[in-house]
Amino acid sequence: MRNFLAIMSGIAALLGAAPALAAQPEPWQARFQPAATSIMEQITWFEQYTLWFIVPIVILVMVLLAWAVFRYRASANPTPSRTSHNTLIEVVWTVGPVVILLFLAVPSFQLLTAQYTPDEDPQLTVKATANQWNWDYEYQVDDPLYFNSAILAEDARAEAGKEDKSVYPRLLAVDNELVVPVDTTVRVLVTASDVIHAFAMPAFGIKVDAVPGRINETWFNARKEGLYYGQCSELCGKDHAFMPIAIRVVSNEQYENWAVAARDDLGTANKALMAAVEGDTKVAAAGN
């Protein structure tokens, strides 16, 4: 009986498995997406760290305002004080903020330095060129690979094999994802062909402007395989809301196979990669 239940559970997991999903926006989301890079982990820590200062300060200010309104209202204090200053209070509200700002500035500068200083030399460089309203990607390797990535049309889902909206959500799914290997430092050169855009991937902790005639640089090292979603984050025209970014992080072997096949037929290579990813996910879900 136990063996039968185990087999049935494995079959159910196999049939119900979906392609690996890493991070995407959720309805009514109030927190960050799960961190996929060390930089995003540091950003998440810093945000939580600052709350230890922000929350007490807000509470203190609210309490002081309420006390001042109640204690010094006209009916309770018909003759207001004419005290012009108080030395102790002046010292406290000068030194206090300076100390608080120092506690915020030191980790802030450390994080800023880390964002511009990869732990190692980039192993892969991709140029991302923003257009109204899609992205051109160029893999700067010995045999360069170029392709365009645009929002996935609803009537193209079936042909692309992307009908599952929990994995390929409306307004975020694209026809061709940017594919990169896991645990690899990737340098992204960002520019634009027309107006100012912005390349943003929340789970990676990156957001950089795409400016015509200028190349900005960022980097990431994704630690977890899966599909990540971002968007253009600079108002760039009427279809600004329809300019998603999708990055698929895969194993090194899957990436190498995809890169070779994509030079001949990008669509076929993408479908083969999706099948490989889905196959690995089903095996993991079945407990093999």
Side-chain angles (χ1 to χ4, degrees), residues 164-181:
D164 186 352
K165 291 189 177 181
S166 66
V167 179
Y168 304 101
R170 177 177 175 271
L171 301 184
L172 288 176
V174 301
D175 52 2
N176 301 309
E177 294 90 6
L178 176 65
V179 180
V180 298

Side-chain angles (χ1 to χ4, degrees), residues 107-226:
S108 175
F109 290 145
Q110 290 175 336
L111 174 58
L112 186 63
T113 300
Q115 288 179 304
Y116 287 95
T117 311
D119 296 330
E120 59 184 1
D121 291 336
Q123 298 159 276
L124 175 65
T125 298
V126 178
K127 183 179 180 182
T129 303
N131 314 296
Q132 290 179 311
W133 290 269
N134 51 69
W135 295 88
D136 288 328
Y137 294 124
E138 174 189 342
Y139 288 72
Q140 299 191 342
V141 292
D142 292 338
D143 187 5
L145 171 63
Y146 311 83
F147 62 86
N148 180 266
S149 177
I151 191 169
L152 180 66
E154 290 298 305
D155 58 4
R157 283 183 175 274
E159 182 181 353
K162 299 178 178 179
E163 298 176 283
D164 186 352
K165 291 189 177 181
S166 66
V167 179
Y168 304 101
R170 177 177 175 271
L171 301 184
L172 288 176
V174 301
D175 52 2
N176 301 309
E177 294 90 6
L178 176 65
V179 180
V180 298
V182 70
D183 294 325
T184 300
T185 300
V186 179
R187 174 170 51 196
V188 185
L189 305 178
V190 183
T191 187
S193 64
D194 37 44
V195 299
I196 298 178
H197 302 267
F199 187 91
M201 184 55 61
F204 294 175
I206 59 175
K207 180 178 181 292
V208 58
D209 284 343
V211 183
R214 176 174 177 175
I215 295 180
N216 290 325
E217 181 177 327
T218 188
W219 68 277
F220 63 85
N221 187 322
R223 297 178 172 180
K224 179 181 177 182
E225 295 179 32

